[in-house]
Amino acid sequence: MIEIEIDNRSGAAVDEQAAVSFARAVLEGEGVEEGELGLGFVAGEEIRALKREHLEIDEVTDVLSFPIDGLSELPEGLPRQLGDVVICPEVVGSEWRRPLTHGLLHLLGYEHGPEMEEREDRYALR
């Protein structure tokens, strides 16, 4: 099972259950059946600080990903740590599905390009 820890520090109302269900569906669609994921919703200043700290770009953004294991081979019995996806509701509004999909795909090792866009469309347009 995919365990998801959700943390909403954004101050915005977020349908957390829908986000968890959607994240599980995307990950399962990508062949991930077990693992642990952190999903955070944060305010604009927090995501700006994270982007500045980790990417050295000082701007607000919609989503950031912090991958750990991705789809790497793991030793037997070691739980898969997918990483964290952080979303800013101030930027995405109620349309969080595509940014969440984008962040999850980055955790799995995808980079920007046609393959990633096709996968985003497949999940976000459900």
Side-chain angles (χ1 to χ4, degrees):
M1 169 136 181
I2 299 168
E3 298 294 327
I4 300 176
E5 182 178 320
I6 194 161
D7 184 15
N8 184 0
R9 300 185 304 274
S10 69
V14 174
D15 186 343
E16 295 177 12
Q17 190 57 44
V20 166
S21 295
F22 184 80
R24 277 196 184 111
V26 170
L27 292 169
E28 289 169 358
E30 290 297 312
V32 178
E33 296 177 8
E34 293 185 17
E36 298 176 6
L37 168 71
L39 178 56
F41 292 89
V42 300
E45 281 308 308
E46 185 173 349
I47 206 162
R48 181 182 193 150
L50 287 168
K51 190 168 184 175
R52 184 175 49 242
E53 178 182 343
H54 294 278
L55 299 176
E56 298 181 355
I57 300 171
D58 188 15
E59 66 184 18
V60 175
T61 192
D62 58 349
V63 64
L64 292 172
S65 297
F66 300 96
I68 299 176
D69 293 331
L71 295 177
S72 302
E73 283 291 321
L74 298 175
E76 185 72 29
L78 189 64
R80 179 169 304 283
Q81 301 289 316
L82 294 165
D84 296 309
V85 174
V86 181
I87 297 175
C88 181
E90 287 176 36
V91 175
V92 302
S94 63
E95 298 299 323
W96 49 264
R97 283 172 180 76
R98 182 173 286 277
L100 177 52
T101 303
H102 187 88
L104 292 169
L105 291 174
H106 274 311
L107 292 185
L108 301 178
Y110 290 97
E111 297 295 332
H112 296 148
E115 182 182 12
M116 187 172 188
E117 289 174 16
E118 182 271 323
R119 289 177 184 288
E120 285 178 16
D121 287 345
R122 180 183 332 153
Y123 298 113
L125 299 176
R126 285 184 176 182

